[in-house]
Amino acid sequence: MSDDLQDVIQEVLRRVRPSVEERNHMNNVLSEVVSRLQEEFKSIEPEADVLIEGSVAKDTWLSGETDADVFVRFPVKWKKDEMGRTLIDCVKRVFGPEKCRLRFAEHPYVTVRIEGINVDIVPCYRVNRGEYRSATDRTVFHTEFVRERLSPEMRDEARLLKKFFKGIGVYGAEIKTRGFSGFLVELLVYSLGGFKETLEKLASFKPPLLLDPGELYKGREEELYRKARDSLICVIDPVDELRNVAAAVSGESLSIAQYASYLMLRKPSVKFFYPAHKASKEEIREIVRSRGLNMFAITIPAWTDIPDILWGQAYRLLSRISIFLEENEFRVLMDKVWSDEEKNVVLLFILEEVEKRAAVLHMGPPYFSNNVPVFIETYLNNEKTLVQPFPRNGRWWTILKPKAKNVDEVVSKAFSSKEFLKGFSENILKAFSESKMYYGEDVVEAVDNTGYLSFLEKCIHPFSWILRED
Ligand code: CTP
Ligand code: MG
């Protein structure tokens, strides 16, 4: 594999630029979607217009990409919920309900699958720049900005950065990833001058990384610094000075991007763009077993088909279980979620231990503290006390029965505790009742899916697929 940055870039470019046939296919599918929707809208709302948006309109889409965006722009007299409902009904009527999948970002939209392409059909309002009424109203202005400002060369640079971020797992602003959106990628290459320049910046910056691609704060730089003070990365939306396009980027994603950029510049490789996770079930089983890792997985059937909701709730559930485990004296070393967004959610934990010994040491106050009598009296005749309070090395201690004998007990306790379950909806509770648990090397059996195996491999070796020599 080539080591020279320019060679790697040329090789990747060759693979990410859509071919003429691909472009034709995409254009044909989208033209058909647009004209069928336009026809239908003539009778519903003649003032609505149907637009091709997103990376196809901006010519920053990747070869092999099967997603595209079409927007239906409504006059502002429409109420938000009516607009969403009308669009969904109309799309179902035109393309048939079996081809449609209802989805949800900040408001509902539909995905239609036509000839291998998933077209997101999204409602928005026709407004003047700056007078946005819904989250999607800015998109047409974003498209305009990119089409005006990004040269064909810069669009290719955006493709490279997009593919790089996809490869290292930080592409996409949705809750699942909390990474870099397509528009953010475009603004980064535009502001910083290209793919390599963006890597150099990412590899070396200390937060906040502050950019104002539309120069909206020209002459008001002080105000901009104040605004960005508390963010890790702040990229001012060129069509809305109050919005940070990078607001969704988590510290975790940004830090991965920083390290991967550093690695890529030091030792360029196509592997960053096309990672090969290839450990088999048996290999992962062997790693977990030989390292004695206390892994623990809970498989729960997916309780909704709306990905943003599923991921949001799965992350909340993960953190609630982690806290519950800690409260029950099981130290959590790592916690992560995986889902195929259709059938299963897996919550994965690495714990210090999964079984408790017979007794735990419980720390009390230092000698001469006012709290000593309360501590002693609390544990003198407590049902949990195995050894009554005693002084040792400057503090008081007691030895207690563990709160739970093993993780199984803690999770059962959680899933039957009113306090724990508070706030979870009926459908999640029902899914809990069908959950299954796997321990140690058996976590590889939690679901039968190669994506899950890659996830497990990445949990144990977040960068091995880049560092590994072939
Ligand atoms: N958008 C949206 N809701 C969707 C899909 C898209 O609001 N369901 C908006 C986004 O806010 C963005 C634009 O449409 O402004 C395009 O979104 P997306 O497809 O995520 O980004 P692209 O630039 O098209 O990049 P990609 O190549 O990843 O599709
Ligand atoms: Mg898109």
Side-chain angles (χ1 to χ4, degrees):
M1 200 159 286
S2 172
D3 274 0
D4 177 68
L5 184 62
Q6 271 319 314
D7 289 349
V8 171
I9 286 178
Q10 287 314 319
E11 165 68 15
V12 176
L13 266 183
R14 201 178 55 73
R15 290 158 75 168
V16 294
R17 273 196 207 116
S19 66
V20 176
E21 297 78 50
E22 234 181 320
R23 283 174 191 274
N24 288 343
H25 178 62
M26 182 64 94
N27 289 336
N28 291 342
V29 169
L30 292 185
S31 306
E32 188 190 323
V33 172
V34 169
S35 65
R36 286 174 75 179
L37 284 174
Q38 266 167 348
E39 192 53 38
E40 185 72 13
F41 265 95
K42 272 188 193 152
S43 56
I44 302 172
E45 171 55 89
E47 282 180 48
D49 42 16
V50 185
L51 310 163
I52 297 174
E53 289 292 327
S55 54
V56 174
K58 294 179 283 189
D59 191 25
T60 54
W61 59 293
L62 300 177
S63 168
E65 193 64 69
T66 53
D67 295 340
D69 311 275
V70 164
F71 275 50
V72 178
R73 197 160 54 160
F74 286 73
V76 295
K77 65 178 186 235
W78 282 75
K79 286 212 190 73
K80 223 182 246 179
D81 52 341
E82 272 173 37
M83 172 166 90
R85 215 168 335 111
T86 305
L87 180 78
I88 290 164
D89 289 347
C90 165
V91 172
K92 280 188 181 164
R93 231 177 9 253
V94 174
F95 300 98
E98 69 291 348
K99 289 219 177 75
C100 300
R101 195 167 165 207
L102 189 60
R103 320 253 284 179
F104 200 93
E106 277 163 79
H107 48 81
Y109 66 99
V110 211
T111 303
V112 188
R113 189 169 174 84
I114 300 168
E115 291 181 46
I117 293 179
N118 300 314
V119 189
D120 283 358
I121 305 180
V122 185
C124 73
Y125 285 117
R126 184 182 306 112
V127 292
N128 293 325
R129 177 184 281 240
E131 296 171 2
Y132 311 115
R133 288 174 174 239
S134 82
T136 43
D137 299 349
R138 293 179 190 82
T139 296
V140 294
F141 297 98
H142 291 162
T143 305
E144 195 180 288
F145 183 87
V146 172
R147 279 158 75 133
E148 273 173 16
R149 307 286 185 103
L150 266 73
S151 63
E153 291 74 34
M154 275 302 151
R155 294 174 193 191
D156 277 347
E157 302 281 306
R159 287 190 232 269
L160 287 169
L161 187 61
K162 204 181 260 196
K163 190 68 186 166
F164 179 76
F165 282 161
K166 279 198 174 188
I168 63 170
V170 299
Y171 183 70
E174 63 285 357
I175 297 172
K176 172 189 175 182
T177 312
R178 304 238 290 126
F180 298 76
S181 68
F183 186 47
L184 178 55
V185 164
E186 288 145 9
L187 292 180
L188 285 172
V189 297
Y190 171 71
S191 312
L192 297 168
F195 171 67
K196 177 165 171 263
E197 291 77 1
T198 304
L199 292 192
E200 284 165 353
K201 183 73 181 180
L202 285 174
S204 62
F205 88 99
K206 295 269 181 282
L209 172 58
L210 177 54
L211 298 169
D212 179 18
E215 300 188 320
L216 304 184
Y217 283 82
K218 211 167 185 176
R220 293 187 289 146
E221 283 78 9
E222 277 302 315
E223 202 181 318
L224 181 59
Y225 296 139
R226 262 203 314 280
K227 188 174 157 56
R229 209 173 33 201
D230 297 325
S231 25
L232 298 172
I233 174 168
C234 177
V235 179
I236 300 296
D237 190 333
V239 307
D240 184 350
E241 66 168 50
L242 296 178
R243 184 165 175 271
N244 173 9
V245 179
V249 181
S250 68
E252 203 174 323
S253 294
L254 193 56
S255 189
I256 291 173
Q258 176 153 78
Y259 180 58
S261 299
Y262 156 84
L263 274 182
M264 169 73 191
L265 291 170
R266 209 180 54 168
K267 196 164 183 297
S269 164
V270 176
K271 281 193 225 169
F272 290 91
F273 303 83
Y274 299 92
H277 304 277
K278 49 186 176 189
S280 66
K281 208 180 240 190
E282 286 61 41
E283 283 170 304
I284 296 178
R285 192 175 257 286
E286 180 52 24
I287 293 171
V288 176
R289 198 197 57 74
S290 63
R291 296 184 187 182
L293 283 175
N294 282 316
M295 283 191 140
F296 157 56
I298 310 176
T299 309
I300 309 171
W303 52 88
T304 160
D305 58 1
I306 300 173
D308 262 1
I309 293 187
L310 187 72
W311 283 101
Q313 291 175 336
Y315 280 125
R316 265 202 302 286
L317 183 59
L318 182 78
S319 101
R320 227 196 260 188
I321 293 181
S322 284
I323 291 169
F324 200 79
L325 283 163
E326 295 267 356
E327 282 169 1
N328 282 278
E329 300 162 342
F330 285 86
R331 188 141 183 255
V332 178
L333 308 183
M334 184 196 265
D335 57 352
K336 293 208 176 283
V337 190
W338 177 87
S339 177
D340 54 12
E341 300 184 352
E342 265 176 29
K343 294 197 204 103
N344 290 298
V345 172
V346 182
L347 309 178
L348 184 84
F349 303 87
I350 302 180
L351 303 176
E352 204 167 60
E353 51 193 355
V354 285
E355 300 273 346
K356 279 283 171 204
R357 279 175 290 274
V360 289
L361 184 65
H362 183 69
M363 188 174 77
Y367 299 162
F368 318 115
S369 151
N370 292 338
N371 297 328
V372 170
V374 179
F375 179 75
I376 296 177
E377 278 149 34
T378 304
Y379 290 103
L380 218 44
N381 288 311
N382 196 301
E383 56 167 32
K384 287 190 280 176
T385 305
L386 295 173
V387 174
Q388 290 182 337
F390 56 92
R392 183 169 185 253
N393 289 343
R395 277 189 174 278
W396 281 79
W397 306 85
T398 177
I399 296 177
L400 302 177
K401 279 187 214 163
K403 287 188 181 162
K405 279 208 288 297
N406 52 39
V407 180
D408 224 6
E409 207 177 301
V410 182
V411 176
S412 307
K413 197 157 112 185
F415 286 0
S416 59
S417 141
K418 276 216 176 72
E419 180 65 22
F420 181 87
L421 297 173
K422 212 164 63 192
F424 287 117
S425 61
E426 252 337 283
N427 52 352
I428 304 185
L429 298 186
K430 184 171 168 294
F432 283 169
S433 67
E434 295 165 35
S435 63
K436 293 204 181 82
M437 291 186 240
Y438 300 83
Y439 298 95
E441 64 234 56
D442 287 342
V443 296
V444 299
E445 308 293 347
V447 288
D448 193 16
N449 183 305
T450 50
Y452 175 66
L453 289 180
S454 306
F455 160 80
L456 282 180
E457 188 185 6
K458 256 185 120 173
C459 282
I460 303 169
H461 298 294
F463 280 94
S464 71
W465 46 275
I466 292 170
L467 300 170
R468 182 170 46 209
E469 300 294 334
D470 285 324

